[in-house]
């Protein structure tokens, strides 16, 4: 006959072990069902139920249940923190919830793209951050807001030095501009600032000239030569006559050929109609473009024309007659390829 008094301690022990095992499973066992790290994005509109739904796409059912149990018993619903949270394959629900509760998010590696307009910049950055394109555009087109960073709508993209930065996904437009302003100040350290000053240019003017050079060629080795040519024209008070500024003035970056009637486009950015630099950059330049201006090649060329071999490099000239000969060769090559 069974002795229930003797069996009772064993049963109780098994029950306690089962309870402890369940607690360990729901709290400390690896919650993710994925083999690699995944990211949970919590935006400003999320509530505890939508977060649970997002967790379901990453975690085992017991993992989501463990996180939500802790969330519901600690008042998390009233303290949700937006952000981008990494969920590692080895982490249990306890550690994941602790990250969510404390707002310990993972940064985004944000690379500033070499785009041509403020609108395209806002569009590109909004795909990497919680803010919308309209949120960022509202800020980038508000001179009162930009005055905090000593810039305006014409030159605001000068703050966006094209490097890669670690930034929190839920950063606000104001915080982003403050960060970019700080990074810009760090970039224009004593050496670069002194180089610009020795050329008689401000950092914004260096960036504007670099933006034109980057539109002229992707050949980094030739950029210092082009910088020297444009700088010679600036010093002589000659119009830069840069075709990329005509494209910018027309708002058509697909143009393969610039015709004489286009050169008369009325715009402060048209360097055929106006002497000196445009009022601001025509794109976010590359670091190579900026360095090309600061370390330009000194020579006496004042003309250049794309080479007729379409290599992306240029023929340089000291006289207008030499330039006309180079231009004729390039025009003939365009006609031969039927490029309009």
């Amino acid at each position: 006959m069974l002795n229930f008094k003797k069996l009772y301690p064993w049963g109780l022990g098994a029950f306690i072990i089962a309870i402890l095992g369940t607690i360990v499973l729901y709290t400390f066992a690896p919650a993710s069902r994925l083999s690699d790290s995944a990211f949970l994005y919590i935006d400003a509109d999320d509530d505890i139920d939508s977060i649970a739904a997002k967790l379901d796409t990453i975690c085992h059912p017991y993992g989501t249940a463990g996180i939500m149990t802790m969330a519901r018993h600690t008042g998390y619903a009233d303290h949700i923190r937006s952000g981008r949270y990494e969920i590692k394959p080895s982490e249990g629900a306890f550690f994941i919830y602790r990250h969510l509760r404390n707002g310990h998010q993972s940064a985004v590696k944000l690379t500033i793209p070499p785009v041509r307009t403020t609108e395209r910049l806002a569009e590109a950055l909004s795909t990497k951050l919680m803010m919308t394109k309209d949120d960022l555009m509202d800020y980038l087109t508000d001179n009162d807001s930009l005055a905090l960073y000593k810039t305006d709508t014409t030159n605001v993209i000068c703050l966006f030095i094209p490097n890669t930065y670690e930034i929190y996904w839920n950063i606000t437009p104001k915080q982003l501009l403050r960060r970019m302003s700080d990074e810009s100040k760090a970039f224009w350290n004593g050496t670069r600032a002194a180089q610009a000053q020795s050329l008689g240019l401000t950092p914004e003017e260096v960036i504007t000239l670099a933006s034109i050079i980057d539109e002229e060629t992707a050949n980094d080795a030739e950029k210092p030569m082009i910088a020297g040519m444009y700088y010679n024209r600036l010093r002589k008070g000659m119009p830069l006559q840069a075709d990329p500024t005509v494209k910018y003035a027309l708002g058509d970056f697909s143009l393969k050929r610039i015709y004489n009637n286009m050169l008369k486009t009325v715009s402060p950015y048209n360097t055929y109609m106006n002497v000196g630099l445009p009022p601001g950059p025509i794109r976010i330049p590359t670091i190579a473009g900026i360095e090309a201006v600061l370390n330009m090649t000194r020579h006496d060329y004042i003309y250049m024309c794309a080479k007729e071999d379409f290599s992306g490099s240029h023929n340089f000239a000291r006289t207008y007659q030499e330039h006309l000969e180079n231009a004729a060769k390039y025009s003939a090559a365009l006609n031969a390829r039927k490029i309009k």
Side-chain angles (χ1 to χ4, degrees):
M1 186 173 179
L2 292 175
N3 189 332
F4 290 103
K5 289 184 178 180
K6 291 182 178 182
L7 290 176
Y8 178 76
W10 291 99
L12 179 61
F15 177 74
I16 292 173
I17 290 172
I19 292 296
L20 291 175
T22 300
I23 292 173
V24 169
L25 175 66
Y26 278 71
T27 308
F28 297 106
S32 176
R33 52 188 173 83
L34 305 177
S35 58
D36 297 317
S37 287
F39 293 93
L40 173 68
Y41 293 86
I42 300 177
D43 59 43
D45 297 328
D46 273 318
D47 57 24
I48 195 166
D49 293 324
S50 63
I51 293 171
K54 290 180 178 181
L55 283 168
D56 280 338
T57 65
I58 301 172
C59 297
H60 293 290
Y62 65 78
T64 300
I67 295 168
M68 287 297 103
T69 297
M70 286 181 277
R72 296 184 192 283
H73 285 83
T74 55
Y76 174 70
D78 297 323
H79 303 282
I80 293 173
R81 296 172 183 259
S82 62
R84 173 182 182 264
Y85 297 92
E86 182 179 7
I87 296 180
K88 299 177 181 178
S90 60
E91 284 185 320
F94 173 79
F95 297 102
I96 295 171
Y97 175 66
R98 188 170 65 177
H99 295 326
L100 301 183
R101 174 75 179 184
N102 296 332
H104 291 165
Q105 57 176 307
S106 298
V108 174
K109 290 187 180 298
L110 184 70
T111 300
I112 304 302
V115 293
R116 294 186 175 102
T117 66
T118 305
E119 184 175 7
R120 290 186 182 182
L121 175 65
E123 183 176 7
L125 297 187
S126 67
T127 64
K128 303 293 185 181
L129 302 171
M130 188 176 80
M131 67 182 71
T132 67
K133 173 187 171 182
D134 290 341
D135 289 339
L136 186 51
M137 276 299 292
D138 286 345
Y139 206 85
L140 296 179
T141 55
D142 181 7
N143 277 324
D144 289 337
S145 298
L146 299 181
L148 295 172
Y149 315 102
K150 298 181 180 179
T151 189
D152 55 25
T153 55
T154 302
N155 282 289
V156 63
I157 63 173
C158 291
L159 297 180
F160 290 82
I161 304 299
N163 283 319
T164 298
Y165 308 95
E166 288 196 347
I167 290 177
Y168 287 128
W169 176 72
N170 62 342
I171 194 170
T172 66
K174 183 177 181 179
Q175 291 168 337
L176 177 64
L177 263 291
R178 184 185 303 122
R179 173 68 183 278
M180 291 298 97
S181 178
D182 290 343
E183 295 290 349
S184 177
K185 290 175 184 176
F187 179 81
W188 289 102
N189 55 27
T191 300
R192 290 193 180 97
Q195 286 177 298
Q197 187 175 22
S198 71
L199 295 170
L201 300 173
T202 66
E204 290 78 14
E205 288 171 334
V206 170
I207 287 174
T208 298
L209 183 52
S211 72
I212 296 173
I213 294 166
D214 277 335
E215 284 292 291
E216 290 282 14
T217 184
N219 183 352
D220 288 346
E222 193 184 48
K223 288 176 182 179
M225 280 288 292
I226 298 175
M229 189 276 298
Y230 279 132
Y231 188 67
N232 288 342
R233 295 182 76 91
L234 285 173
R235 292 182 66 187
K236 291 176 179 291
M238 299 173 65
L240 294 185
Q241 296 183 325
D243 287 357
T245 65
V246 178
K247 294 181 182 181
Y248 188 88
L250 291 168
D252 187 351
F253 306 107
S254 65
L255 290 171
K256 303 294 184 183
R257 192 168 186 172
I258 302 297
Y259 292 95
N260 285 334
N261 65 310
M262 297 177 181
L263 304 183
K264 299 178 182 178
T265 302
V266 178
S267 168
Y269 287 88
N270 182 357
T271 56
Y272 279 86
M273 297 289 290
N274 305 284
V275 176
L277 290 165
I282 61 172
R283 60 170 280 174
I284 292 179
T286 62
I287 298 295
I290 295 172
E291 295 293 349
V293 176
L294 296 176
N295 301 281
M296 65 180 65
T297 302
R298 299 302 183 122
H299 54 65
D300 57 357
Y301 294 119
I302 55 174
Y303 299 98
M304 76 173 190
C305 180
K307 283 187 175 180
E308 63 277 9
D309 60 2
F310 297 98
S311 62
S313 55
H314 296 77
N315 288 314
F316 294 87
R318 295 178 178 85
T319 68
Y320 187 57
Q321 184 57 42
E322 289 177 319
H323 174 63
L324 289 178
E325 293 170 5
N326 291 333
K329 288 186 287 186
Y330 183 62
S331 181
L334 289 173
N335 291 335
R337 294 196 180 193
K338 299 181 179 179
I339 296 176
K340 297 182 178 180

